[in-house]
Amino acid sequence: MNSSPQDLVQELYIAAYGRPADPAGLQYWTNVLNQNGNNIGAIVSNFTNSTEANNLYGTISSSNLPTVLNNIYENLFNRPIDQVGLQYWENTYNQYHMSVGDLAYDIMQGAQNSDVTVINNKIATAQTITNYLASNPNISITQGEVPLLDNFLQSVSTSVPSLNDIQNFLNNMNNQNTIQSLYLAFYDRPADPAGLQYWSNVLSQNANNINAILPSFASSQESATLYGNVQPTPDLNTLINTTDNYVNTFFTMNGLNAPNPQGLNNAIISYYQDYANGNLADVNNDFNNIISQIDNIMIYAANQSGIKLTVNDLQPINA
């Protein structure tokens, strides 16, 4: 296979990890490859001897070699290994005792006939995904989403998915991860399938702006059951107690110590003062500010506990 430096790096990601390169990883390893005269041997061991490669294919040994080889063929070519290929690669392994990643990369490089088409389509798809992620830095791929990328790339066979299909896949995957984080942060449980799909769609309809749906989570009946019901009231102490209970319960559930929510307390006092002074036109805005302050505290708490609520805060995969 004649490949550009970027394609060589993508091939390594596909062979060793079964996924597209992340933008930073692609740029880094392409630069290293260029600095070494496009000698793939200068970087191949960094990929093929990795834990991620072994996790994808399993630890290789003489006893499970046929299974590992079949897994490699399924991952790269979407088909089981044929008897001729099995015998050839068994002999190659027995002679050189290669790592599973090296074996996968060599099998990819030796692709023939229709297998070449499949690999080229996977490379083209992977490059489109990498480029889209590079041009949309608000979308990051978490470790938990890597299997979804694996499955998507493995589904590529005789044709390359359209750009629209790839964009929809990435946006939906990213939105679903965000919704799962919201469910875990606010409700301490995974999203149910219907809720996951519904709120993912709502998020998409609002240009992936999480602020468009946060109030619905903060003011839901389930939140009220968990944290207490924050409702407009002319009694300052009641409002402070209910909001403090809401925040403290949320922080405790996420294993954190609640901070002194000065912004929230100021919003409560402003609400109370406007209510007491008869400034009813401002009362509704004051209460919305209270809810907004609670939202901000929830985001802070979730982020501190490792639950990322915003797209930009999602933990990216490592190159």
Side-chain angles (χ1 to χ4, degrees):
M1 296 174 64
N2 295 321
S3 305
S4 68
Q6 277 200 344
D7 282 350
L8 284 172
V9 174
Q10 282 287 10
E11 289 168 18
L12 277 173
Y13 270 87
I14 294 169
Y17 303 151
R19 63 172 172 88
D22 52 286
L26 179 65
Q27 185 62 54
Y28 174 80
W29 289 112
T30 299
N31 289 341
V32 173
L33 199 58
N34 286 330
Q35 292 164 8
N36 286 274
N38 294 337
N39 176 17
I40 196 69
I43 67 172
V44 67
S45 63
N46 291 281
F47 288 81
T48 59
N49 296 323
S50 68
T51 300
E52 189 171 353
N54 284 326
N55 287 342
L56 180 64
Y57 298 117
T59 303
I60 195 169
S61 66
S62 297
S63 61
N64 70 350
L65 182 58
T67 299
V68 172
L69 287 169
N70 193 69
N71 289 342
I72 292 172
Y73 264 68
E74 290 283 5
N75 188 63
L76 296 180
F77 307 134
N78 299 348
R79 68 174 180 86
I81 191 169
D82 55 273
Q83 189 60 40
V84 173
L86 177 61
Q87 184 173 357
Y88 175 82
W89 289 111
E90 280 185 324
N91 291 338
T92 301
Y93 173 78
N94 290 329
Q95 182 176 357
Y96 297 105
H97 297 286
M98 309 154 71
S99 72
V100 66
D102 284 314
L103 198 55
Y105 184 71
D106 283 359
I107 289 172
M108 174 188 279
Q109 291 299 302
Q112 298 178 3
N113 304 321
S114 61
D115 290 340
V116 175
T117 300
V118 174
I119 287 299
N120 286 339
N121 289 341
K122 287 180 187 287
I123 293 170
T125 302
Q127 191 60 51
T128 300
I129 290 174
T130 304
N131 290 341
Y132 186 72
L133 293 174
S135 61
N136 292 271
N138 61 310
I139 298 179
S140 297
I141 305 301
T142 65
Q143 290 289 352
E145 292 167 330
V146 169
L148 298 177
L149 273 180
D150 293 348
N151 292 338
F152 184 81
L153 196 59
Q154 192 169 2
S155 70
V156 175
S157 183
T158 57
S159 62
V160 177
S162 69
L163 178 60
N164 187 61
D165 286 342
I166 291 173
Q167 290 173 341
N168 287 339
F169 164 75
L170 291 173
N171 288 329
N172 186 60
M173 180 178 66
N174 201 73
N175 286 348
Q176 288 198 1
N177 185 75
T178 301
I179 298 304
Q180 283 286 13
S181 296
L182 282 171
Y183 268 81
L184 289 171
F186 279 92
Y187 304 149
D188 197 29
R189 66 173 176 86
D192 54 281
L196 180 63
Q197 190 59 56
Y198 173 79
W199 287 112
S200 295
N201 291 339
V202 173
L203 195 58
S204 295
Q205 292 163 7
N206 286 275
N208 302 332
N209 179 11
I210 196 171
N211 292 321
I213 64 174
L214 268 177
S216 296
F217 280 81
S219 61
S220 69
Q221 184 58 51
E222 191 166 355
S223 287
T225 300
L226 285 170
Y227 313 120
N229 199 5
V230 180
Q231 295 290 342
T233 172
D235 183 73
L236 176 62
N237 289 331
T238 298
L239 191 56
I240 288 178
N241 288 338
T242 55
T243 53
D244 282 352
N245 180 69
Y246 190 109
V247 171
N248 286 329
T249 304
F250 184 92
F251 269 67
T252 300
M253 188 180 74
N254 284 283
L256 298 169
N257 294 320
N260 178 20
Q262 189 60 48
L264 175 60
N265 288 340
N266 289 340
I268 293 171
I269 292 171
S270 178
Y271 168 89
Y272 174 73
Q273 289 174 340
D274 282 332
Y275 198 104
N277 294 329
N279 299 327
L280 300 183
D282 295 327
V283 166
N284 188 56
N285 289 335
D286 291 336
F287 185 74
N288 288 337
N289 188 30
I290 291 172
I291 297 300
S292 177
Q293 291 292 333
I294 291 175
D295 289 344
N296 290 334
I297 290 171
M298 297 306 182
I299 294 174
Y300 169 80
N303 285 343
Q304 289 298 107
S305 63
I307 302 171
K308 301 301 183 182
L309 292 186
T310 63
V311 172
N312 286 335
D313 283 335
L314 289 173
Q315 182 64 40
I317 56 178
N318 294 320

